[in-house]
Amino acid sequence: MLITFKTRYSPEVLMYQEHAQRILDLLHKNPTRGVITATEAAEALSVLEDQVAESKLHPETDIEYDIHAHEREDGETVEHALAQRVGFAARAYPLVEMLRLAKQENQPIVWGV
């Protein structure tokens, strides 16, 4: 299932629910429907920036092979499959940028509406 994050003054951010789940868990938000209010944006941004920094310190434990995001194809080497993994920092980046703008413009971020 896709989650579409929306805020005024920013393009929509689309994420698969299984990829957005970690972010939403950190923010204590429901993946089905929710809002990050303008008041919550600063705290949410801080939480995600801390997690991004932590994931960069320990990339070997952060990145796990995600069968939903990349299925190994016939004849593909393990090395190539492992190189296709996407870490938390890269997955979170679009939403972090959206949070920065939402905080700056004092706007909420919504999804599932």
Side-chain angles (χ1 to χ4, degrees):
M1 180 168 96
L2 282 176
I3 296 176
T4 304
F5 295 96
K6 302 175 187 178
T7 191
R8 196 171 185 171
Y9 308 117
S10 174
E12 295 178 349
V13 172
L14 296 170
M15 296 178 102
Y16 284 111
Q17 182 176 338
E18 53 267 13
H19 299 153
Q21 190 66 53
R22 179 175 173 188
I23 294 169
L24 294 173
D25 286 347
L26 288 168
L27 302 178
H28 309 289
K29 299 292 184 178
N30 184 321
T32 306
R33 178 186 287 185
V35 62
I36 299 171
T37 66
T39 307
E40 296 173 320
E43 177 64 25
L45 183 58
S46 176
V47 167
L48 289 183
E49 286 175 335
D50 288 348
Q51 283 297 307
V52 165
E54 183 68 26
S55 73
K56 288 180 179 180
L57 290 175
H58 307 287
E60 66 282 348
T61 57
D62 174 58
I63 300 175
E64 293 182 12
Y65 185 70
D66 187 349
I67 195 70
H68 300 292
H70 177 79
E71 294 184 14
R72 207 165 143 207
E73 299 171 5
D74 290 338
E76 183 178 35
T77 65
V78 173
E79 293 80 18
H80 183 263
L82 292 174
Q84 299 303 308
R85 298 178 299 178
V86 177
F88 179 76
R91 291 215 191 272
Y93 179 79
L95 193 56
V96 167
E97 288 301 307
M98 181 181 268
L99 274 166
R100 285 187 181 122
L101 189 58
K103 177 184 165 194
Q104 175 185 331
E105 299 296 332
N106 200 32
Q107 294 293 315
I109 295 174
V110 297
W111 62 94
V113 293

